Amino acid sequence: MAKEQKNTPATEEQEQVQVKEIEVRRQKLDALRERGIDPFGAAFNASHTTSQALAEFDDEQPEKTVKIAGRIMSKRGQGKVSFLDLHDQSGKLQIYVKIDEVGEEQFSLLKLLDVGDIIGVAGPVFRTQRGEISVRAQQLTILSKSLHPLPEKWHGLKDVELRYRQRYVDLIVNPEVKDTFIKRSLIISAVRDYLNGQGFLEVETPTMHNIPGGAAARPFITHHNALNIDLYMRIALELYLKRLIVGGLEKVYEIGRVYRNEGLDYKHNPEFTLLELYQAYSDYQGMMELTENMVAQVAQKVLGTMQITYEDTQIDLTPPWNRMTMQEAVLKFSGVDFAQVPDDAAAQALAKEHHIVIEPHFTKGKILSLFFDAYVEEHLIQPTFITDYPIEISPLAKKHTDDPNMVYRFEAFVYGRELANAFSELNDPIDQRERFMQQMLERERGDEEANMLDEDYVNALEYGMPPTGGLGIGMDRLVMLLTNASSIRDVLLFPAMRPLNSAKEEHNVISEAVTEAEPAKIDFSKVEIEPLFKDFVDFETFSKSDFRAVKVLACEAVPKSKKLLKFTLNDGTAENRIILSGIHEYYEPEELLGKTCIAITNLPPRKMMGIDSCGMLISAVHNEEGAEKLHLLMVDNHIPAGAKLY
RNA sequence: GAUCCACUAGCUCAGUUGGCAGAGCACCUGACUUUUAAUCAGGGUGUCCCGCGUUCGAAUCGCGGGUGGAUCACCA
């Protein structure tokens, strides 16, 4: 206030109100409307793109009339003449507006135009005195008024957060961003072309899975209302694509989005684009050849060379790429020879010696992979295949015939980062089931990323899957490499961002709303319960019943029975427990998969439909308007299998 | 999760030892009939990320918080 008063003598004209730029633009918008011009005009039939108009220009035969449309990116007024730079997707073209040519009425429109506005221009193409090919405007059409000022023309938009949050602005003002995304599109097309040329069939498989499988990652969970079941957003494409191999589609691929509930950093986004392909009768060797050939050819096609520069480092993608086993690589870069390590204990001792953090149950193979991460990965700058992975970290890969602790798998590394992952697919259903069971144990041990048992997938394998090579490539990583992008966010048009405006508050509002709404939906007014028992049971008798938390590993309807469900349960012991329960009229088997329930485990086996049922699952029963209602007791998933109830 | 850094005009950024909030571009007023980051004359448009504190006085110092970035850890 004081400041304004001080300045009063300087600002003599009281009417000259200082307004923000956005208000100025709104005023111009109103001014256009007052003239009867729609500031957000209709379709405009351009005859040329800017680059076409430039390409067709001929100094021998100038003055060919064109109609072009685009965004004004620069405006240079010079009295009764004005120059505009008009940008469209193909490039830019200068517009020359002269009062004699367009008339006073049109020329005065220029005052209402700003950098950022979208216009159409009609007029002949010519060359200015300074030699620039331009359109001499005869007609200006306002197609859309821009209400926001654009970032500064010389420095552009630097604020990375704004660039990602408002990619549209980034694309308008930073031309190299557009180039990157055009290149991304070309790369993905080139991959498709290559694979189609090799006889692969592109397919689409579900993105919402009942059981998320094919990778070690935490999934996102969503919900289907009509079925009243939770579904998982897929973390990989693998298991569905291999079902297709079983079905006889011998070369398939999918380029699709997968979702992993993990942190965000320069190489991770919660959703990303994954290429997976499977080729029957091939193996990981075949996949290696395919990988190096495909990547090299894509680079050649999109960049015109196999010699690329990433972060100032020259990388040669020309096949064949280096090949090393994981053991050889660890020996080379750390000096530790795992061929000489006899057992898990020796490996653990080595890990401690080299300050590698491990847990007591870590095996030799797992520790080898930790050595690899610690000593080798960063050195693999030029394209390198690392082969022969430990079985512990590869539950879907085929075992080495001469070393049951190894699998036929490789990962390709470029610039110290994983680019591709492939293996000879495990097609032995018995082995696969055992591996899933091992993964289930890991899950129970708290590894939320371990695979879940996919019964139908094993069932598919039981029909017979040919020996198969499978390959996965993170397309975002590939695009990063080929566009020299240092962050995955630079190759994703709209990378995941935390919402603005205090996420916490919104979260609170939602959770309050939920807690308020939920109880209101449940109506207990019609509930009738069984009278409480009068007879006492002594504590000794009670404590003889062994109540345990159990996890539903598998659940299926018993054939020929309307009521019975057969549960395969993890009760914390190594052996699975089978319990049959007559609750099919209340639950479909798939809704119970993975749930944690309560069972009595020390009842004598009882035959039902010829199957031994070992114990009872506990349900809560009541009556409502004469009908019996039942709820299977389901408890918090944090409760481990086998936990005893007291 | 830990550490470090950043946050000032629409954009890019200065801001000294705690002492009236600054520049360039953009924008506004005016001049200019072939400009090229047009030029010339004039105009500063602000929640200095937010809150609390110290102080006569805070963009600046302290504490707490937010957002982003980097590094590390976790995860694979």
Side-chain angles (χ1 to χ4, degrees), chain A residues 187 190-191 194-195 275 277 287-308 315-319 321 383 385 410 412-414 419-420 471-475 477-479 481-482:
Chain A
I187 289 166
V191 167
Y194 179 86
L195 292 174
L275 160 70
L277 64 89
M287 292 300 107
M288 252 187 268
E289 281 166 35
L290 192 155
T291 303
E292 59 193 6
N293 286 330
M294 181 173 72
V295 171
Q297 287 199 25
V298 167
Q300 185 66 45
K301 192 165 180 180
V302 176
L303 307 175
T305 175
M306 296 180 191
Q307 320 293 321
I308 61 162
I315 292 170
D316 183 1
L317 298 173
T318 312
W321 296 355
F385 291 115
F410 74 78
F413 290 86
V414 180
L419 180 70
L471 169 67
I473 293 183
M475 295 305 290
R477 302 265 177 96
L478 179 64
V479 174
L481 188 68
L482 296 183

Side-chain angles (χ1 to χ4, degrees), chain A residues 120-289:
Chain A
V121 178
V125 186
F126 74 112
R127 199 182 278 279
T128 63
Q129 282 179 4
R130 296 290 180 99
E132 180 158 350
I133 299 166
S134 309
V135 176
R136 187 188 307 111
Q138 289 172 332
Q139 180 70 37
L140 294 173
T141 312
I142 296 172
L143 300 176
S144 190
K145 182 85 191 133
S146 170
L147 295 178
H148 286 293
L150 287 176
E152 197 223 14
K153 62 182 168 192
W154 195 239
H155 294 95
L157 181 65
K158 290 266 180 65
D159 184 325
V160 283
E161 187 190 349
L162 267 184
R163 285 188 45 220
Y164 300 141
R165 284 193 194 280
Q166 301 186 21
R167 183 68 88 184
Y168 38 92
V169 180
D170 193 27
L171 283 165
I172 291 168
V173 300
N174 294 326
E176 68 284 0
V177 174
K178 198 164 68 183
D179 293 343
T180 298
F181 288 104
I182 290 172
K183 226 175 241 171
R184 178 184 173 115
S185 174
L186 292 175
I187 289 166
I188 292 175
S189 293
V191 167
R192 281 207 168 91
D193 288 348
Y194 179 86
L195 292 174
N196 294 342
Q198 299 286 318
F200 280 85
L201 182 72
E202 181 169 16
V203 297
E204 289 166 284
T205 63
T207 56
M208 291 189 288
H209 291 183
N210 292 315
I211 298 164
R218 275 186 285 174
F220 286 94
I221 299 172
T222 185
H223 187 78
H224 190 288
N225 287 337
L227 295 177
N228 191 28
I229 51 171
D230 282 345
L231 289 169
Y232 298 94
M233 304 304 294
R234 67 180 172 187
I235 56 173
L237 319 173
E238 178 146 0
L239 299 185
Y240 278 101
L241 292 180
K242 285 196 280 192
R243 283 172 170 96
L244 298 179
I245 296 286
V246 170
L249 301 177
E250 293 174 356
K251 287 172 144 190
V252 290
Y253 75 97
E254 179 168 2
I255 295 174
R257 207 68 66 80
V258 299
Y259 308 84
R260 297 186 182 177
N261 211 335
E262 294 165 350
L264 303 143
D265 65 24
Y266 71 100
K267 5 181 224 189
H268 294 93
N269 194 68
E271 55 180 306
F272 62 98
T273 302
L274 186 61
L275 160 70
E276 285 195 28
L277 64 89
Y278 294 86
Q279 180 173 355
Y281 309 109
S282 184
D283 63 4
Y284 80 125
Q285 294 285 350
M287 292 300 107
M288 252 187 268
E289 281 166 35

